[in-house]
Amino acid sequence: MTRRVVITADDLGREPGTTEVIAALLAEGQVSATTLIPVSPLAEQAANHVRELGVVPRLHVTLTSEHGLPRWRPLDGAASLVDPDGTLSDDPFVLGARGEAREVIGEADAQLRWMRGRGFAPAAADSHAGTLYGLHGRSWLAQALEWCARHGLAFRLPRDAEPYVGGPLPPQLAAEHAKAVALADALGVSIPQTIATNRRTAHELGTYQQLRDDYLRRLAALPEGTSELFLHPSREDAVMGPDGIVRVWEARLLRDPVWHDALEKEGVEVVEGWWT
């Protein structure tokens, strides 16, 4: 076997700054994939932009809004997913407390139909803000995997979750994860060997060099098979608060010669998907 990695820029269509940076990184060949937020008002424009680059974005199933942006509205309009004004909450714990499985999957269906109706055939789906995984309350992971199987989609569920969480899972969560991996295999839903991303704030990291060192360690530790590194590159003025700094650092990392030298020295092949 060989070590392969999908380098994904998440959140295409989030707002103009993020979309601009992701499109530039795709054009430069700095990332091998992106994920699209269909509920964003910019989604169609963003999708058409990367279509011109020959890129088909994955479906970023989005069930929450984002802090600092005008609230998004679901495509399906299900009652358990929205606040009284009909918008998606920007708090994933609110969704985790009230979301109903049937309506969650109905919204995923609507977002997939939206993409396919515009000529995009995404090969995989994943979960914006991790809301499908049960990290903020109710889990819809089993339903999401069954939905992926019905539609022939791969799914971002790590076979080995430790690199993502930074250590062994708590026993109950480990058992649930093992059940989900077994279900994915039984359903024929392709999943990556592992996934990794930065989960620390600018304050916790301190400097760009610390973020780069963390990603270099993650790269060196990638196992055999196909894994995914997903980042959230953007402009600092596009994202409110300290998160904007980290997103700028991630965009810088993807263009950093040190990063590209490490990819070559580690012998890790960059690919478009873990399902090929």
Side-chain angles (χ1 to χ4, degrees), residues 73-128:
R73 293 180 178 273
L75 302 184
D76 194 48
S80 72
L81 307 185
V82 297
D83 287 346
D85 65 355
T87 63
L88 297 167
S89 173
D90 57 14
D91 183 348
F93 287 98
V94 170
L95 173 71
R98 73 186 180 194
E100 297 295 336
R102 178 178 57 82
E103 295 183 337
V104 165
I105 297 306
E107 178 61 23
D109 267 331
Q111 294 181 20
L112 181 59
R113 283 196 305 272
W114 185 96
M115 291 192 70
R116 288 178 169 172
R118 285 154 181 79
F120 292 97
D126 50 67
S127 176
H128 180 62

Side-chain angles (χ1 to χ4, degrees), residues 112-161:
L112 181 59
R113 283 196 305 272
W114 185 96
M115 291 192 70
R116 288 178 169 172
R118 285 154 181 79
F120 292 97
D126 50 67
S127 176
H128 180 62
T131 51
L132 293 175
Y133 298 99
L135 303 176
H136 310 97
R138 300 178 191 178
S139 171
W140 303 290
L141 191 50
Q143 293 91 337
L145 288 168
E146 291 164 356
W147 173 78
C148 285
R150 287 197 299 274
H151 293 288
L153 300 171
F155 191 68
R156 181 193 279 166
L157 171 71
R159 193 170 294 279
D160 175 5

Side-chain angles (χ1 to χ4, degrees), residues 188-225:
V189 175
S190 295
I191 60 176
Q193 183 62 33
T194 193
I195 62 175
T197 192
N198 171 66
R199 301 177 69 195
R200 295 203 284 169
T201 66
H203 178 73
E204 290 168 331
L205 289 164
T207 65
Y208 164 73
Q209 285 73 22
Q210 183 60 54
L211 176 129
R212 184 178 68 185
D213 288 348
D214 280 2
Y215 272 110
L216 292 174
R217 283 192 289 271
R218 293 177 186 278
L219 179 65
L222 288 177
E224 293 290 313

Side-chain angles (χ1 to χ4, degrees), residues 2-8 30-33 58 192-196 215 218-220 222-231 259 262-264 266-274 276:
T2 58
R3 295 193 299 160
R4 295 177 295 273
V5 65
V6 184
I7 302 178
T8 302
Q30 312 288 11
V31 296
S32 61
R58 300 201 310 260
Q193 183 62 33
T194 193
I195 62 175
Y215 272 110
R218 293 177 186 278
L219 179 65
L222 288 177
E224 293 290 313
T226 305
S227 299
E228 182 183 21
L229 294 177
F230 61 98
L231 304 90
W259 170 250
L263 279 169
E264 184 175 350
E266 289 289 340
V268 177
E269 180 186 2
V270 178
V271 297
E272 294 181 1
W274 58 85
T276 57

